[in-house]
Amino acid sequence: MLYLDNAATSPMRPQVFAAMLPYLQENFYNPSSVYSPARKVRAAIDDTRAFIGDALGVSSEEIFFTSGGTESDNWAIKGTLEKATRGRHIVTSAAEHHGILYVCKHLEKNGCEVTYLDVDGEGFVNAQDLARALRDDTALVSVMLANNEVGTIQPIAEMAEIARQRGVPFHTDAVQAVGHIPINISELGVDMLSFSAHKFGGPKGIGVMYIKKGTPVFPLFWGGAQERSKRAGTENVAGIVGMGEALKITLEELPTEITRVSALRDKLIAEILREIPHTSLNGATGDKRLPGNVNVSFRFIEGESVLLILDMQGCCASTGSACSSGSLEPSHVLTAMGISPEMANGAIRFSLGAANSENDIYALMQILKPAVEKLRMLSPLYDDYLKNNKGS
Ligand code: PLP
């Protein structure tokens, strides 16, 4: 099997599974109980929190465990808006994940006003556009650190500083970034940051919301006093321990993996553009793009059809975010980047990870090129193109 969809989710490391197992079996106790076996479980949570805070350059008291990226994103927006005193205006970008966009759409129906910042042809938000969008009643800015479809890495530190000068809290969705590029949250200067373990070799259903001390945010979940009364509910202990282990391994490997995976990415991009005509790269290049992200559009055909052929040959890829796969609407990210509906519908995302090697690039090219050629032979658009360009 050729797995090239690591941005949708990544395979769990065996060491992560091994670290989690005791907390699903003998160490099953509720961490809120007072007896000593339960205190051992509580210690595992505290140790992981301390490690994560340390690894990301913040205090452990600012790390809150959630069920993943979606919950953290929802919490940042809803929790801030509920407590906002300045007003109910939100600034975000048109290329955010639906975990942000759909919350904003929902809040718009409930009296909030949202400004969706444009992105340029490579997916970048312009920091000066952000500066112009801020108002006296702006309650929150949320701009993602790295885009899940095209891998564009935003200048978050610059934007967070602009918001800070105006006294507006800044949230960033770092779900695709943590474990893939170096991150020091203090240096980024954000007030809130979301991430999710299953994007870097950890388990699904566990993530983090970083909340800078003093940031006014209401809880999303009410009930018990877990997570310092900010996020009620018995902790996903095995998930937390697994996330810590996955982050540890990933960060140890990160310096070499960035170089190795970026080289694989650039090789795959070069091969596709050289071997398959009428193809274009979506997004930025070099270190402004996530190391593992390749997003290309094949003219005249549907990305979904290419995926079906790849799937029949044992290759897993995606047309964009896993959540929007299967929808016939062109990607909102590519549309926001000004890419035509035809090219947006012909887009495919390959996302490389720790388990991929150069052999996978060759294996993919063996099936991708014939797949695109076969579909073009059946495409009325391609037929028209050939007729119109006869002899040219
Ligand atoms: N934000 C981004 C940028 C993502 O890519 C994803 C998942 O694909 C999420 C949020 C949602 O994360 P989770 O799957 O942990 O809910």
Side-chain angles (χ1 to χ4, degrees), residues 23-24 28 51 70 77 108 132 169 187 204 213 217 237 240 242 244 274 289 296 347 377:
Y23 295 92
L24 295 165
F28 64 86
F51 165 71
T70 303
I77 302 214
E108 273 181 304
R132 279 188 287 274
E187 285 171 12
K204 294 165 187 58
K213 216 167 170 197
V217 195
V237 184
I240 291 169
R274 194 185 62 228
R289 182 180 198 110
V296 278
M377 284 308 145

Side-chain angles (χ1 to χ4, degrees), residues 117-196:
L117 299 172
D118 286 335
V119 294
D120 67 15
E122 292 189 328
F124 290 108
V125 172
N126 182 318
Q128 290 319 308
D129 287 350
L130 167 64
R132 279 188 287 274
L134 294 176
R135 312 191 315 213
D136 290 341
D137 65 342
T138 306
L140 176 72
V141 177
S142 182
V143 177
M144 71 202 314
L145 185 39
N147 187 271
N148 47 302
E149 293 192 30
V150 293
T152 304
I153 300 170
Q154 302 288 351
I156 289 299
E158 187 186 348
M159 289 191 255
E161 177 56 21
I162 290 170
R164 195 191 63 77
Q165 282 176 9
R166 296 284 297 271
V168 181
F170 191 103
H171 166 256
T172 191
D173 173 341
V175 169
Q176 293 290 339
V178 169
H180 298 276
I181 54 173
I183 289 182
N184 180 306
I185 303 179
S186 298
E187 285 171 12
L188 279 178
V190 298
D191 301 290
M192 286 168 280
L193 178 145
S194 316
F195 69 87
S196 181

